[in-house]
Amino acid sequence: MSDDLERYVLSRPPTADRPLQGMTVLVVEDSRFASEAIRLLCLRSGARIRRADSLAAAHRHLAVYRPSIIIVDMGLPDGSGADLIHELSSAQPRVPVLLGISGDMDGEALALEAGADGFLPKPLESLAQFQQSVLAHLPAGEGPTGPRKLPSEVVHPDMLAYQDDLTHIAEVISEAPDGQTLDYIAQFLSGVAMCAHDDSLEAAAVSLANSRAKGRGTGSDVARVAGIVQERLDRRASI
């Protein structure tokens, strides 16, 4: 998008159908599949989206751009999303809307304690839920005015993005991960699998996380996760 066109798009006021029109969303999320869901939700809401897949990438974006809305995943490859939320919540000028997102049941408490305005649970698919969660925290005078009908649309991200996530984690598993990396694998896959409604992979990832938390051996859990991931990749390659 050219600079002139971007300025034009961002200058347009929000409407009932496009309540986030004129706003820019920075999503800090390492999952391509989860990011694609948010991209579709932003597109249908009129917002422009930028993505950072790590804390380091988020800081690079924020050194150049000031988004209207920031959505931060609680588990990132180079640290905790709670740390970024805490940093952003106390920055001046503060971003208008700061939200946490996670598939972990403890994610909401962590996000709010760190200073987030609100929280988005995964899987995030409902356009109405997304829009209401953002609009509820916009400063007074921003957003659409007057009554608006809640959309019934549900987004369905491209499964190629899911394959990209599985390819990424297969590479991580192949590098003989240490304990910290195993925690990341379990967290990443449980969230991604939840978003994709892949129940067996989600269960395997949760089992790995539980084994790590209880100090049990993880060899069988890692093998199970690796086998399911490879099965998904092989199935996709044969289509």
Side-chain angles (χ1 to χ4, degrees):
M1 182 182 290
S2 70
D3 290 343
D4 288 343
L5 181 55
E6 180 173 357
R7 280 193 291 269
Y8 169 72
V9 170
L10 293 178
S11 68
R12 299 172 68 189
T15 65
D17 291 337
R18 296 287 185 269
L20 303 184
Q21 194 158 256
M23 303 178 195
T24 300
V25 177
L26 173 62
V27 54
V28 187
E29 168 65 71
D30 52 339
S31 164
R32 287 285 307 279
F33 191 74
S35 297
E36 177 63 9
I38 298 174
R39 187 189 73 82
L40 294 173
L41 293 167
C42 287
L43 180 67
R44 284 151 176 77
S45 302
R48 180 167 185 201
I49 184 172
R50 297 183 185 276
R51 178 192 175 219
D53 60 5
S54 65
L55 295 175
H59 283 114
R60 289 195 295 271
H61 275 275
L62 292 168
V64 180
Y65 304 104
R66 185 174 186 274
S68 316
I69 302 151
I70 302 180
I71 300 172
V72 182
D73 184 43
M74 300 308 295
L76 295 163
D78 55 350
S80 169
D83 293 336
L84 180 59
I85 290 173
H86 178 72
E87 175 187 341
L88 295 173
S89 68
S90 56
Q92 294 297 330
R94 189 187 187 279
V95 63
V97 180
L98 178 59
L99 303 173
I101 184 171
S102 177
D104 190 322
M105 61 179 157
D106 297 324
E108 182 172 8
L110 289 173
L112 296 178
E113 183 179 353
D117 299 313
F119 181 78
L120 299 168
K122 292 180 180 178
L124 186 58
E125 301 169 331
S126 164
L127 184 57
Q129 178 189 9
F130 172 72
Q131 291 179 355
Q132 290 297 95
S133 296
V134 174
L135 293 174
H137 299 290
L138 281 176
E142 297 190 22
T145 58
R148 53 183 294 270
K149 181 180 178 181
L150 291 179
S152 59
E153 185 176 354
V154 172
V155 299
H156 300 285
D158 192 329
M159 291 304 290
L160 286 175
Y162 188 49
Q163 184 182 19
D164 287 343
D165 283 342
L166 296 184
T167 299
H168 160 64
I169 216 68
E171 293 171 353
V172 175
I173 293 173
S174 71
E175 296 173 356
D178 58 16
Q180 184 176 354
T181 306
L182 286 177
D183 291 337
Y184 170 68
I185 290 170
Q187 173 272 321
F188 179 88
L189 275 183
S190 61
V192 170
M194 179 186 294
C195 291
H197 302 284
D198 189 336
D199 294 341
S200 57
L201 181 55
E202 181 185 352
V206 169
S207 178
L208 173 59
N210 289 338
S211 293
R212 285 284 302 154
K214 295 177 181 178
R216 298 195 299 252
T218 57
S220 60
D221 288 303
V222 173
R224 181 184 173 199
V225 165
I228 296 174
V229 168
Q230 193 57 53
E231 178 189 356
R232 302 292 186 270
L233 293 173
D234 291 344
R235 184 189 304 167
R236 185 72 191 183
S238 66
I239 296 177

